Amino acid sequence: MPQPKQAPVFDTKPESIDVPFGESADFECHVTGAQPIHITWSKDGREIRTGGNFSITFVANTAHLRVLRVGKGDSGQYTCQASNEAGKDFCSITYVKPITLPAQPAAKFKCISLSVLFVCLEPPSFVKKPEPLNVLSGANITFTSIIKGSSPLEVKWFRGSVELVPGHRCSITLQDSIAELELFDVDPLQSGDYTCQVSNEAGKISCTTHLFVKGLSRLLFLMLLMLVKMISCIVYLTYVIDLNSTPTKRKEEEEEQPIDILELLKNVDPKEYEKYARMYGITDFRGLLQAFELLKQTQAEESHRLVRYSMTLASLGVTRFL
């Protein structure tokens, strides 16, 4: 009487493993049963075949799946199915998330159900964000952030959209999860928004703060100082020139200027003739009479006033000089 055929059975136990990013992972499951045995692999319920990032073989009752290069998209549940005419059996592999580890040789594992353990990377986050600052021109200031996340962390600082580079005007440090930006001798031109950006393999995050600097910028202060010096020089030169013009010279210049006697008499009360004449240095009273006659000729319409002038001059005894 013929013996009944044996259904396939996976006869090994699963083991947990850690798989680094970029490395290959090999999964082997040993099965017993009547030949021929047909092997299929699936990921999250969908069948996968050799090609792309996968390699599948079945040799000497050993089913083998290789993930050629482990990445984020390879997480999920993998299932190996063995079937023949007598029945079928399953082997499940839970594939979680890769970790960043030093490179290690890829290892082979015999299993029925292989659980692969992956450590999650922590994206960066801010424990303390930098606070806005309001300072006077010429001060040294420091923006401080406390951050966390999986190493290595990279920190960049920006003013507006321009990345800051460490130098004689600023310093950028990251030590023990404390990221700092220090600015030296700030001026109002450096007022504006400052952004701290932190990144690692799991992601990127940023936050923005503000700096306001009060007072004149150094450039503007120097310009004003130069302007004050120029004005001082002009005032000094004007003083020197005026100083060189002595009272004697000024008096001589005034004496050299001709006096319009006609205009003098025209705007002065006749009673004040002698007073104003002496004031302007006129001692020749005959000149006054000549001016009077000229005034009489050019302003005939004021003849009544000329008579009054004549009487006034006569009362002053001016006729003695005729």
Side-chain angles (χ1 to χ4, degrees), residues 98-115:
I99 61 170
T100 301
L101 295 173
Q104 297 177 354
K108 296 183 178 181
F109 306 91
K110 292 184 178 181
C111 65
I112 292 176
S113 177
L114 179 60
S115 177

Side-chain angles (χ1 to χ4, degrees), residues 137 187-189 215-222:
S137 179
D187 60 52
L189 297 178
L216 296 175
S217 68
R218 173 167 293 186
L219 178 60
L220 182 58
F221 176 77
L222 292 176

Side-chain angles (χ1 to χ4, degrees), residues 8-12 29-31 39-42 78-83 87-93 111-114:
V9 176
F10 289 102
D11 60 357
T12 54
C29 300
H30 189 267
V31 63
I39 297 294
T40 60
W41 289 85
S42 62
Y78 292 79
T79 301
C80 179
Q81 175 182 292
S83 61
K88 56 186 176 181
D89 195 10
F90 299 91
C91 170
S92 294
I93 304 168
C111 65
I112 292 176
S113 177
L114 179 60

